[in-house]
Amino acid sequence: MDLASFKELSAKVNSSLILQTTLGVAVLSHLYRSWRNRIDVPTYGGILSFSRLLSTVRLAMEGGDIWRTSYAKYPMILVPSPERWAVVVRGKYIDELSRAPDDVLSFTEATHDSLRLRYSLGTTTAEEHEYHIHVVRQNLTKRLPALFPEVYDEVIHAFGEDLQFDGAEWKEVEFLSWIIPVVAKASNRVFVGLPLCRDKEWLSLVIDGAVSCIKTAAIINLFPEFMHPIVGPLISKVQSRKRKAAELARYLIDDRLKLAPEDRPDDYISWLLSAAPPEEQNAEDITQRIISTNFAAIHTSSLNMTHTIYWLLSRPEYLDPLREEIESVTSQMGWTKAAISSMPKLESFMKESMRLSPLAPHTMNRKVVKPFTFSNGVSLPVGATVGIHLYATQVDEDYYPEPLQFKGFRFVEEENGDHKEAENVASLKSRNSMYAISRSYLGFSYGRHACPGRFFASMELKTMFAYLIANYDMKWPDSAINKMEFELMMDIWDKVDITVVVKTTVGIAILGQLYRWWSNRINAPAYGGIVSFSRRLAFERLMREKGDIWKDSYAKYPMLLIPSRGNWSLVVRGPYVEEINRAGDDVLSFHEAVQDMIQLQYSIGLPAHQHNEYHIQVIRNNLTRHLPAVFPEVHDEVTVALSDALQFQGEEWKEIHFLGWAIPVIARASNRVFVGLPLCRNGDYLKVMIETAVSCIDTAKAINGYPEFMRPLVGRLLSKTGERKEKIVEFLKDVVDDRLKLAPEDRP
């Protein structure tokens, strides 16, 4: 070997050794940090970053039950989110969190970690001087009676402009999408006044800015901390939004700056200017505070309003008593702040909605900036995040009788109980108002960092809710049940999508995806982007556009690439159906497509489907030929199942959730044919079969959210097919064994 070759080999060996050593040190360092910062409380899921992401998926799938279970079982528990672990504690520790100074447990630091304010809102100085919060807490709250007429006027204008009825007809609205601009207009009537509060460009800016903030923060938090200064500026649009907002609002701010402080109008912009330090008394910085206030106000209020309307439409028996109260109070007091505050039934209904439908599972989130130890001896290291159970606290039976039952007048009944003295009644009214915070009601958080705008938000929400009830009839559209079921599923899987990035492989994954796209590209128009992340955004938009996009694309393109959660699909017009149908299975495989979509091995546990599908032949031939003979059994089971499910005792009406009611009826009728009596009526058997069908779809969607090389690992972690198959075999063993003992010609 000559000297040059030796040097080249030596360089390669050294480079490989350096790389291996660096990776080894990184892994050991991560393990050491995890060990050093361990917290001695039960953990939901694993302890490392990869396991945390999988735990987040499962947590999202399990929903409210897991929060109630962990609350009942553990005083403290570590729960995952895409960006971090958080210690969530019971309410008994609420005062310890609340009393801790900000230089020990920091609300601001926790908010920054969650929302990445520098890149999502651009509020870097707000971390040092939050004068806009003081303005909301003091100036705005004190002037609510004087501001009510403007809010009320804007609510009337917004409802009238957006609905525009020409008579007594019904109109179908997607409530959340419709109410967001209404809330934005009513809020900005106070923040910036007329005419800017109705300016479409301004409204688009403040509404889209709030959505963009959440998305930007979610994407940044998927990357390791050291990459945030790189990723943040690349995806953030905050600077362009800030410039545009300042252009639109500049004239309002400059007009006030020309006046002496005592000559300025008594409004939100003037209050901000009076509270701002000299260096921030300019259009750019003041507008930024207005945008920050909008972010806090619009979407939280819109979601709470939507939940309230959904509860009302699901409990229509509350509509008449609420309407009677509103009409009685406004006939005596008019539409005033005092009148809105004198509607205990309306207040109670909205508070009950917020109790059962909080906007997050935990609240009072704090980041540990100095070591902190609870009274039970549990110590939190610097950098940890801690919060209080929100949902589980508000469904704790120690605080609320029958906590999972929606009782719209729950808080009115408490007022009308044994407390007859005027002093006690007044105290209860104050405590039972929807903006009142307590250890058992945390909808607006608790302590010194409780929502400073809750008084304004409550007034605004009650005004809109009361006006809607007093002036409009409301009901679910005919398609509501299907739509709600679909949107609920979409909400769950939008959360799951957030967890799909493995931090340490981001660069490799992107390069690999680009190469695979280039080598497998299809020469057809595409809906959306061309890489995996863009595919998910395109899929989300596709789901929101509903039927119109399918009709338009069908008319415009013979072939179109469309996104799904797991891949792109080429969808073609009818003229090509014969070509697809004639293609052999070894060219266009139905089995492979089903496998990719449903992940049969992990969702159903039947990989043999791909090789011997004799059950399909049995259905196609035997079952179909015997339908006339089978009909009496199906008819009998439908009759019995309907009777069992409804159990009428006279001519009364019954309200049912149709889909949830119909599934067991269909399961019984189908299994009357599949397994016969008495097993088709066995409640445990039916429960396992129904859960298996539902879980199949859920598991497949979760697995398909991950890159293909990870699906075998994720599938084994998420799949519950083994335990379900064991239960089903237990039920069917005797039925099958009885037939195996007989000769084929003697079997039923």
Side-chain angles (χ1 to χ4, degrees):
M1 179 183 292
D2 57 24
L3 183 60
S5 299
F6 177 79
K7 286 182 177 180
E8 183 179 353
L9 177 62
S10 176
K12 290 179 180 177
V13 171
N14 286 337
S15 298
S16 176
L17 183 62
I18 290 170
L19 178 60
Q20 292 175 32
T21 303
T22 302
L23 289 173
V25 170
V27 171
L28 289 174
S29 175
H30 180 72
L31 291 172
Y32 173 72
R33 285 196 304 273
S34 299
W35 175 83
R36 185 186 63 189
N37 294 326
R38 68 195 183 281
I39 301 171
D40 190 22
V41 299
T43 301
Y44 180 92
I47 60 172
L48 299 178
S49 174
F50 176 71
S51 178
R52 186 192 75 229
L53 293 176
L54 291 181
S55 299
T56 305
V57 175
R58 178 161 285 180
L59 185 64
M61 292 172 67
E62 291 191 294
D65 289 343
I66 190 62
W67 293 100
R68 294 195 300 271
T69 302
S70 62
Y71 176 88
K73 196 172 181 180
Y74 307 113
M76 302 179 172
I77 186 170
L78 265 173
V79 297
S81 65
E83 69 272 11
R84 63 176 184 269
W85 288 95
V87 180
V88 181
V89 305
R90 283 187 193 155
K92 65 180 289 186
Y93 300 101
I94 194 169
D95 288 327
E96 297 181 43
L97 283 187
S98 184
R99 286 196 299 264
D102 288 337
D103 62 349
V104 177
L105 298 182
S106 174
F107 168 77
T108 301
E109 291 287 337
T111 304
H112 176 80
D113 283 357
S114 177
L115 296 178
R116 299 299 164 189
L117 297 176
R118 180 187 298 273
Y119 309 112
S120 60
L121 279 178
T123 54
T124 53
T125 54
E127 297 171 28
E128 302 166 10
H129 191 177
E130 296 178 328
Y131 60 85
H132 63 294
I133 292 178
H134 176 79
V135 166
V136 171
R137 183 178 288 125
Q138 300 295 330
N139 304 70
L140 179 61
T141 302
K142 288 177 182 176
R143 290 166 174 80
L144 289 182
L147 291 171
F148 178 85
E150 293 191 62
V151 173
Y152 177 61
D153 178 67
E154 198 59 38
V155 167
I156 295 173
H157 176 271
F159 284 161
E161 183 180 56
D162 292 348
L163 290 174
Q164 294 184 348
F165 282 101
D166 296 324
E169 81 276 15
W170 287 93
K171 282 197 175 182
E172 185 173 326
V173 296
E174 186 177 318
F175 194 83
L176 180 60
S177 300
W178 171 72
I179 202 66
I180 286 174
V182 175
V183 174
K185 290 175 185 177
S187 301
N188 280 274
R189 179 68 178 263
V190 173
F191 300 154
V192 297
L194 286 170
L196 191 57
C197 70
R198 298 177 186 175
D199 184 281
K200 291 183 179 179
E201 201 170 4
W202 173 262
L203 290 171
S204 175
L205 196 70
V206 296
I207 292 170
D208 294 345
V211 175
S212 176
C213 171
I214 301 298
K215 288 185 176 179
T216 300
I219 295 168
I220 293 172
N221 279 326
L222 291 171
F223 289 82
E225 188 91 24
F226 72 88
M227 291 184 66
H228 290 181
I230 302 171
V231 177
L234 286 174
I235 66 171
S236 176
K237 297 180 180 178
V238 68
Q239 294 304 322
S240 60
R241 283 203 310 271
K242 283 174 71 173
R243 285 193 298 270
K244 189 61 181 176
E247 287 175 18
L248 293 170
R250 184 180 302 279
Y251 74 97
L252 294 171
I253 298 162
D254 288 348
D255 286 349
R256 285 159 178 76
L257 285 171
K258 294 172 185 175
L259 301 172
E262 62 273 13
D263 296 330
R264 293 170 187 165
D266 188 25
D267 60 18
Y268 189 71
I269 295 176
S270 297
W271 305 334
L272 286 174
L273 286 169
S274 297
E279 66 273 14
E280 284 202 41
Q281 294 185 14
N282 58 72
E284 286 74 16
D285 287 316
I286 295 299
T287 304
Q288 182 55 46
R289 301 303 171 126
I290 297 171
I291 295 295
S292 298
T293 311
N294 268 289
F295 168 73
I298 293 174
H299 286 269
T300 52
S301 292
S302 299
L303 285 168
N304 280 323
M305 188 67 195
T306 301
H307 293 161
T308 303
I309 290 294
Y310 282 5
W311 279 115
L312 179 62
L313 298 186
S314 300
R315 304 290 190 279
E317 66 271 18
Y318 286 99
L319 185 56
D320 285 341
L322 286 169
R323 184 171 284 160
E324 288 170 8
E325 179 183 69
I326 294 163
E327 290 174 351
S328 173
V329 172
T330 54
S331 66
Q332 297 175 45
M333 305 175 68
W335 285 90
T336 61
K337 170 68 167 63
I340 289 296
S341 301
S342 302
M343 300 177 183
K345 291 180 179 177
L346 179 129
E347 189 116 32
S348 175
F349 191 94
M350 299 194 78
K351 184 168 185 174
E352 181 74 346
S353 170
M354 290 181 65
R355 182 184 74 83
L356 280 174
S357 306
L359 303 184
H362 52 89
T363 187
M364 285 187 69
N365 297 312
R366 306 285 190 268
K367 184 175 181 178
V368 182
V369 292
K370 290 180 183 176
F372 178 81
T373 302
F374 283 104
S375 57
N376 65 350
V378 172
S379 295
L380 303 181
V382 172
T385 301
V386 61
I388 293 283
H389 278 284
L390 170 53
Y391 170 68
T393 298
Q394 295 187 167
V395 294
D396 186 338
E397 61 185 6
D398 289 340
Y399 297 131
Y400 301 98
E402 298 180 293
L404 296 177
Q405 295 296 315
F406 182 90
K407 296 184 176 182
F409 298 154
R410 180 187 296 272
F411 301 99
V412 179
E413 290 162 5
E414 184 178 346
E415 286 181 22
N416 294 337
D418 298 329
H419 305 276
K420 298 299 182 184
E421 297 86 351
E423 219 172 279
N424 285 338
V425 172
S427 173
L428 276 167
K429 282 184 177 178
S430 174
R431 194 165 72 236
N432 287 340
S433 62
M434 64 181 289
Y435 54 74
I437 55 175
S438 69
R439 293 174 181 82
S440 60
Y441 179 73
L442 304 168
F444 289 108
S445 195
Y446 182 79
R448 65 181 178 278
H449 290 295
C451 174
R454 64 187 183 277
F455 304 98
F456 172 68
S458 299
M459 182 187 80
E460 185 179 60
L461 287 171
K462 286 187 289 186
T463 303
M464 288 188 287
F465 191 43
Y467 189 82
L468 272 174
I469 293 174
N471 292 278
Y472 298 95
D473 288 320
M474 293 169 282
K475 66 176 184 178
W476 289 123
D478 296 336
S479 59
I481 296 296
N482 291 336
K483 186 174 189 299
M484 282 188 291
E485 292 291 336
F486 176 75
E487 289 187 347
L488 176 61
M489 190 173 290
M490 288 301 299
D491 286 345
I492 292 171
W493 292 108
D494 281 345
K495 295 173 187 174
V496 173
D497 271 352
I498 295 173
T499 70
V500 179
V501 174
V502 180
K503 295 179 180 178
T504 56
T505 60
V506 169
I508 296 172
I510 290 174
L511 290 174
Q513 181 68 24
L514 287 172
Y515 172 74
R516 285 194 300 275
W517 165 78
W518 179 83
S519 60
N520 296 322
R521 64 197 182 279
I522 299 172
N523 187 26
Y527 178 95
I530 58 172
V531 295
S532 176
F533 177 71
S534 178
R535 185 193 72 231
R536 292 192 180 98
L537 288 181
F539 175 70
E540 181 181 333
R541 175 167 289 180
L542 183 65
M543 290 300 97
R544 289 176 180 167
E545 290 192 290
K546 302 172 187 171
D548 290 342
I549 188 62
W550 295 99
K551 289 185 288 187
D552 294 345
S553 62
Y554 179 85
K556 193 172 182 181
Y557 305 111
M559 301 180 174
L560 180 69
L561 273 169
I562 59 159
S564 66
R565 294 193 183 277
N567 53 29
W568 289 93
S569 297
L570 185 68
V571 179
V572 303
R573 283 186 193 160
Y576 301 98
V577 69
E578 289 302 327
E579 296 181 42
I580 294 175
N581 193 40
R582 285 195 301 266
D585 285 339
D586 59 344
V587 178
L588 298 181
S589 174
F590 169 77
H591 307 295
E592 293 289 336
V594 173
Q595 170 63 35
D596 286 352
M597 184 187 304
I598 304 181
Q599 296 293 330
L600 296 174
Q601 183 173 349
Y602 310 110
S603 61
I604 298 180
L606 295 174
H609 270 21
Q610 299 176 34
H611 308 293
N612 191 348
E613 295 181 326
Y614 61 85
H615 64 294
I616 300 290
Q617 293 300 322
V618 168
I619 293 171
R620 182 178 289 128
N621 296 315
N622 304 64
L623 179 60
T624 302
R625 282 201 303 266
H626 288 81
L627 287 181
V630 167
F631 175 81
E633 294 191 63
V634 174
H635 177 262
D636 176 65
E637 197 59 38
V638 168
T639 304
V640 175
L642 290 174
S643 177
D644 290 347
L646 292 173
Q647 295 184 346
F648 281 105
Q649 295 177 345
E651 295 185 357
E652 81 275 15
W653 286 91
K654 281 198 175 183
E655 182 177 326
I656 59 172
H657 184 297
F658 194 85
L659 181 61
W661 169 81
I663 287 174
V665 174
I666 293 171
R668 283 180 58 170
S670 301
N671 279 274
R672 177 68 176 265
V673 175
F674 301 156
V675 299
L677 286 169
L679 192 55
C680 70
R681 297 179 185 175
N682 184 304
D684 293 333
Y685 169 78
L686 290 171
K687 181 180 178 183
V688 173
M689 297 304 291
I690 292 169
E691 286 178 351
T692 300
V694 174
S695 175
C696 166
I697 303 300
D698 291 350
T699 302
K701 286 187 175 181
I703 294 170
N704 282 328
Y706 284 82
E708 193 152 358
F709 73 90
M710 289 177 61
R711 289 174 187 173
L713 173 60
V714 177
R716 285 191 290 271
L717 287 170
L718 295 183
S719 177
K720 296 181 180 178
T721 56
E723 58 191 74
R724 288 203 181 96
K725 282 176 69 175
E726 288 177 7
K727 290 180 182 178
I728 294 170
V729 168
E730 286 177 20
F731 285 116
L732 291 173
K733 190 173 188 302
D734 291 341
V735 178
V736 176
D737 286 348
D738 287 346
R739 284 158 176 75
L740 287 172
K741 294 172 185 175
L742 301 172
E745 63 273 13
D746 296 330
R747 294 171 188 165

